[in-house]
DNA sequence: CCCTTAAGTCATCGATCGGTGACTTAGACC
DNA sequence: GGTCTAAGTCACCGATCGATGACTTAAGGG
């Protein structure tokens, strides 16, 4: 009675809730009953709509690729933008972590690993590689910088290292500029 | 009759096999029956020795803290040593990944997160912080460098990014030196 | 108003999980 | 060789999981 009978709307709500569960608890830690319970629907409906649990997982992860910065501004501002998005944005909708970091928890499954790689490559490396233009090991430098951003996010949220967890964006920006300059050989403004 | 009745030896074999399982399949993906089967022993024995599954997990992870570089050489060589150990060493005994990276898969459990943090702090940050001596944000710089090393390991093994995965140690060392110098403000020899 | 269609539910299955307690057997010691 | 202790086994419990198929009910059209 709380909701009308709307197949597409129910499907969408299942996907949304499952995304949060999968991100927070991982694939194995999430049960179909949990997700159905969040939506207020019978678990059997999940199998009617998605065939299986892994079908739900695949579709949920496919729809979560949205949050990626588009290269709309000058390339020099990209590192700061990505850092802000990866680390400091409010991901409370995704259980407090960037979806990419959360997805790492399920990287034991080969499907997840493939999607993870695809998302990192298309969403981050393609954009970041502009910064490495003119350098010798362009791709390697790009991936090394992406590794740093990812590592910062992980130390902050998944490990909970003391200093980095409490660091503010303003404290991080100077070091970001220094490392970016060292890797890309060009000045990167902090503002 | 394959093995004699030796409590300590059986305990050790259970720990060793569980370490590999936990690393490769995560906490939830590993069953007590799996581990006992690897050792060729009854699953009930696991509970007799470790009380519970999480007891086995805790003890297994506590015992895997061994692989940490000791600061025996000059501090300038630490980054290269840690990179070699984290990324290029042969971790086939641990399913091909450094235990720390593997442990990230189970970082949904708070116990694992605590142990992970402790291991990163004591095993890596304490050693690395010598490099940041004399700098302003000593701890922050140290954690930022550790984040980079961890991120490199993750991109290589858990994500499988194209260029970094195939990179050799010799290709990475110059960039390691550049970033270390940018973060710590002191030259870091590549050899 | 009724009847069809599809959205959603219910009961249940088989497998697997962590965990427990009673039991069996191997090995050292006298 | 008998006996005692501890290493290891066996049978089983309750809970939970993914999954299936038969069922019920809400909504729209004639």
């Amino acid at each position: 009675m709380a909701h009308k009978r709307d197949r597409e709307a129910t499907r969408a709500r299942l996907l949304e809730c499952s995304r949060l569960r999968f991100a927070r608890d991982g694939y194995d830690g999430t049960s179909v009953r949990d997700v159905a319970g969040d939506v207020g629907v019978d678990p059997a409906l999940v199998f009617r709509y998605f065939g299986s649990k892994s079908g739900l997982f695949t579709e949920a992860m496919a729809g979560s690729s949205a949050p990626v910065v588009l290269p709309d501004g000058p390339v020099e501002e990209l590192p700061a933008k990505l850092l802000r998005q990866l680390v400091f944005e409010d991901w409370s909708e995704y259980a407090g972590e960037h979806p990419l970091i959360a997805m790492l928890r399920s990287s034991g499954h080969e499907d997840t690993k493939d999607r993870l790689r695809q998302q990192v490559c298309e969403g981050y490396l393609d954009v970041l590689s502009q910064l490495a233009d003119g350098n010798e090991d362009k791709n390697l430098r790009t991936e090394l910088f992406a590794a740093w951003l990812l590592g910062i996010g992980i130390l902050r949220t998944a490990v909970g290292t003391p200093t980095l967890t409490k660091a503010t964006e303003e404290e991080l920006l100077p070091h970001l500029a220094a490392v970016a300059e060292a890797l890309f050989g060009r000045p990167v403004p902090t503002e």
Side-chain angles (χ1 to χ4, degrees), chain A:
Chain A
M1 204 46 184
H3 294 88
K4 299 185 300 185
R5 289 197 161 192
D6 185 333
R7 180 186 174 98
E8 289 313 312
T10 306
R11 253 186 78 98
R13 284 166 60 220
L14 281 172
L15 284 174
E16 185 186 340
C17 290
S18 73
R19 210 136 44 208
L20 198 149
R21 287 272 186 186
F22 283 134
R24 186 179 50 203
D25 307 321
Y27 182 83
D28 293 316
T30 300
S31 78
V32 173
R33 286 168 170 84
D34 288 336
V35 177
D38 291 343
V39 179
V41 113
D42 193 274
L45 206 61
V46 172
F47 296 97
R48 283 183 75 78
Y49 285 168
F50 304 98
S52 66
K53 180 185 178 180
S54 79
L56 171 69
F57 179 75
T58 299
E59 201 155 334
M61 286 314 179
S64 81
S65 63
V68 163
V69 151
L70 290 185
D72 52 349
V75 285
E76 285 82 8
E77 295 178 2
L78 271 178
K81 280 186 181 175
L82 286 178
L83 178 73
R84 184 175 307 123
Q85 188 211 68
L86 243 169
V87 174
F88 291 104
E89 207 155 306
D90 177 34
W91 294 111
S92 54
E93 182 189 356
Y94 292 86
E97 283 178 337
H98 191 283
L100 278 182
I101 296 176
M103 220 184 297
L104 273 172
R105 294 225 178 76
S106 304
S107 64
H109 295 72
E110 202 57 36
D111 290 353
T112 310
K113 193 173 170 180
D114 291 344
R115 180 159 299 282
L116 201 55
R117 178 169 50 243
Q118 176 198 337
Q119 224 158 300
V120 168
C121 289
E122 296 180 3
Y124 293 85
L125 298 183
D126 287 357
V127 179
L128 269 176
S129 66
Q130 302 175 43
L131 274 167
D133 274 339
N135 279 295
E136 185 184 3
D137 317 325
K138 177 178 169 180
N139 291 334
L140 184 57
R141 289 170 195 265
T142 305
E143 293 186 16
L144 283 175
F145 191 74
W148 193 46
L149 293 179
L150 184 66
I152 292 174
I154 290 171
L155 275 197
R156 278 180 61 100
T157 66
V159 180
T161 243
T163 310
L164 194 47
T165 304
K166 294 171 188 156
T168 65
E169 197 176 343
E170 287 71 26
E171 292 175 294
L172 252 55
L173 278 179
H175 301 110
L176 181 90
V179 169
E181 195 170 335
L183 269 179
F184 299 132
R186 63 153 84 184
V188 175
T190 64
E191 191 49 36

